[in-house]
């Protein structure tokens, strides 16, 4: 019994002091292997008398079980220690922001984002998108829109004209997207519900004007279209675009050659603290012009004004982008500064939707 107790003490102490799993395995073989010390004791049980076996059997079997348990416990402890050391050496600071992948590093320009927002809003109202060329004819840009040759309203547009072609015709860079409305009325039969976003050009440049800018115009032609419909459409657009629950608008008489009556539209706002906030305050800000399509325009586009009537509106995309996203100067929109775009741009996968949010 003394030899068994001594063997157990020495074996368990060696197992507890094993530095790694390889050392534990060597001790297992030395104790429990085919020629191991504990295995040798187990072999002696066959030669013992029944009384000796009854006395020493439990001692030897208990020694085997305790050695096996100590080996398993030591292996588990060494495994946990190795895992902790590996985790410590391979630790990542997950508090740092994850670097964007290549597909997310670019930015959507605010103009493209706002055009998508406008399209989402009017698309939900049943409007289609119509487009046309940037280089237009005098006829489509002015004459069919009730700007006769020599009309003083033409001077307001600061037009870029090209040199006369072989036929003596002078093409121009369109001063508004209204020629797209004319093209639509010439090509399609009513009812018509379209918006016309795109680039426009005028010889003007300062903090809020650039020679090239963007407009979106809308056109509705039907037998019963009226100013009540126009007012509702513009109110719903402003609430959705500026993401406010309520908006107050006022319509002021104005003049445009292509509409009669014509109106300027102001939206209620607050200018406190140098910041413009819509849906509150006692100030007003002009955001667009609109009116009923002039009968002469309908006639020029092959429509009978005694049968059809309609309304149209137009606004600057760059201007409403500045108002919504707090951009103080129009010129950086077109300077291709990646620092400005990184600040004001939008992630490419954050597409504006009415359900998910326009500017999420």
């Amino acid at each position: 019994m003394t030899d068994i107790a001594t063997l157990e003490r020495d074996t368990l102490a060696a197992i507890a002091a094993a530095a790694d799993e390889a050392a534990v395995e060597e001790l297992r073989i030395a104790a429990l292997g085919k020629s191991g010390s504990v295995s040798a004791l187990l072999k002696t049980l066959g030669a013992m008398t029944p009384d000796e076996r009854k006395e020493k059997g439990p001692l030897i079997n208990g020694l085997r079980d305790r050695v096996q348990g100590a080996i398993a416990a030591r292996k588990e402890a060494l495994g946990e220690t190795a895992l902790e050391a590996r985790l410590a050496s391979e630790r990542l600071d997950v508090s740092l922001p994850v670097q964007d992948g290549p597909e997310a590093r670019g930015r959507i320009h605010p103009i493209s984002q706002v055009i998508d927002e406008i399209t989402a809003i009017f698309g939900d109202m049943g409007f289609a998108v119509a487009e046309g060329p940037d280089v237009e004819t005098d006829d489509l840009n002015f004459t069919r829109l009730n700007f006769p040759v020599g009309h003083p309203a033409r001077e307001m547009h600061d037009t870029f004209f090209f040199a006369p072609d072989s036929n003596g015709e002078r093409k121009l860079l369109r001063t508004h997207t209204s020629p797209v409305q004319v093209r639509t009325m010439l090509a399609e039969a009513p009812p018509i519900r379209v918006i016309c976003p795109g680039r426009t050009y005028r010889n003007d440049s300062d903090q809020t004007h650039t020679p090239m800018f963007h407009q979106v115009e809308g056109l509705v032609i039907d037998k019963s279209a009226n100013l009540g419909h126009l007012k509702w459409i513009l109110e719903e657009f402003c609430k959705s675009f500026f993401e406010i629950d309520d908006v107050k608008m006022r319509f002021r008489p104005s003049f445009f050659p292509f509409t009669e009556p014509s109106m300027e539209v102001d939206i209620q706002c607050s200018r406190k603290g140098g910041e413009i906030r819509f849906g509150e305050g006692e100030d007003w800000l002009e955001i667009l012009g609109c009116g009923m399509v002039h009968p002469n325009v309908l006639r020029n586009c092959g429509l009978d004004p005694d049968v059809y009537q309609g309304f149209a509106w137009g606004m600057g995309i760059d201007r409403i982008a500045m108002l919504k996203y707090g951009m103080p100067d129009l010129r950086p929109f077109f300077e291709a500064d990646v620092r400005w775009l990184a600040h004001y741009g939008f992630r490419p996968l954050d597409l504006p939707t009415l359900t998910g949010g326009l500017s999420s």
Side-chain angles (χ1 to χ4, degrees):
M1 290 180 62
T2 302
D3 292 340
I4 293 175
T6 301
L7 177 62
E8 179 177 351
R9 183 183 66 249
D10 295 343
T11 301
L12 295 181
I15 293 171
D20 51 41
E21 292 191 19
V24 174
E25 181 62 16
E26 290 180 3
L27 291 171
R28 185 194 69 78
I29 294 173
L32 302 175
K34 190 174 182 180
S35 302
S37 56
V38 177
S39 298
L41 287 176
L42 290 170
K43 291 177 181 179
T44 62
L45 291 175
M48 293 180 183
T49 63
D51 291 338
E52 290 176 332
R53 190 180 302 114
K54 184 178 180 180
E55 177 186 357
K56 294 188 177 181
L59 298 177
I60 296 173
N61 287 325
L63 170 62
R64 178 198 60 196
D65 294 341
R66 286 188 289 276
V67 169
Q68 288 177 337
I71 289 173
R74 185 58 180 166
K75 282 186 175 181
E76 182 179 357
L78 290 172
E80 291 178 356
T81 301
L83 178 61
E84 290 176 0
R86 181 180 176 185
L87 291 176
S89 64
E90 299 178 359
R91 178 177 299 171
L92 295 176
D93 187 355
V94 296
S95 65
L96 294 175
V98 178
Q99 295 292 325
D100 289 337
E103 74 284 353
R105 288 176 188 161
R107 288 294 180 267
I108 298 296
H109 196 283
I111 294 299
S112 299
Q113 172 75 13
V114 169
I115 290 176
D116 286 346
E117 294 179 13
I118 293 170
T119 302
I121 295 169
F122 285 114
D124 188 63
M125 297 183 192
F127 283 79
V129 177
E131 296 179 313
D134 290 8
V135 178
E136 271 292 1
T137 65
D138 183 280
D139 179 58
L140 295 178
N141 194 82
F142 290 121
T143 306
R144 288 184 186 262
L145 288 166
N146 205 32
F147 289 84
V149 176
H151 194 292
R154 288 190 176 210
E155 302 299 323
M156 300 168 56
H157 281 231
D158 298 321
T159 309
F160 290 103
F161 284 97
F162 292 95
D165 59 18
S166 58
N167 298 321
E169 182 182 10
R170 296 185 68 189
K171 295 287 184 68
L172 53 88
L173 292 175
R174 66 183 183 185
T175 59
H176 45 190
T177 57
S178 299
V180 181
Q181 297 186 36
V182 175
R183 290 175 177 272
T184 302
M185 286 186 281
L186 291 172
E188 301 179 14
I192 295 172
R193 292 174 179 82
V194 295
I195 59 169
C196 314
R199 293 179 295 270
T200 53
Y201 307 85
R202 296 184 188 180
N203 187 15
D204 199 359
S205 181
D206 57 37
Q207 186 174 353
T208 57
H209 298 82
T210 55
M212 188 275 289
F213 57 101
H214 297 81
Q215 278 189 343
V216 59
E217 298 184 8
L219 173 68
V220 173
I221 301 293
D222 209 333
K223 292 182 178 180
S224 58
N226 57 64
L227 288 178
H229 299 148
L230 172 63
K231 180 180 179 182
W232 179 85
I233 287 173
L234 295 179
E235 287 180 348
E236 290 302 308
F237 168 77
C238 288
K239 287 193 291 186
S240 297
F241 180 77
F242 293 110
E243 300 180 72
I244 54 180
D245 295 329
D246 191 26
V247 61
K248 291 183 179 179
M249 307 177 74
R250 68 181 184 185
F251 294 73
R252 294 179 287 105
S254 184
F255 168 77
F256 303 112
F258 34 77
T259 53
E260 179 60 38
S262 302
M263 294 165 288
E264 300 280 2
V265 180
D266 303 332
I267 185 172
Q268 176 197 23
C269 69
S270 169
R271 302 176 188 265
K272 293 182 179 178
E275 180 182 3
I276 295 178
R277 299 179 64 88
F278 295 108
E280 59 184 73
E282 298 179 356
D283 291 323
W284 297 91
L285 181 69
E286 178 186 326
I287 61 168
L288 60 91
C290 63
M292 298 297 293
V293 178
H294 198 291
N296 288 345
V297 175
L298 294 175
R299 292 189 189 96
N300 293 339
C301 295
L303 299 176
D304 186 350
D306 293 328
V307 177
Y308 296 106
Q309 59 188 33
F311 51 82
W313 69 90
M315 68 187 84
I317 295 175
D318 319 271
R319 295 283 186 85
I320 62 174
M322 293 172 67
L323 291 173
K324 181 173 182 178
Y325 294 111
M327 303 168 187
D329 196 323
L330 181 63
R331 290 166 292 190
F333 276 69
F334 312 110
E335 291 176 351
D337 189 331
V338 294
R339 298 168 299 178
W340 182 90
L341 186 57
H343 179 75
Y344 286 110
F346 294 81
R347 292 181 176 272
L349 300 181
D350 293 342
L351 300 177
T353 64
L354 295 183
T355 56
L358 291 178
S359 55
S360 59

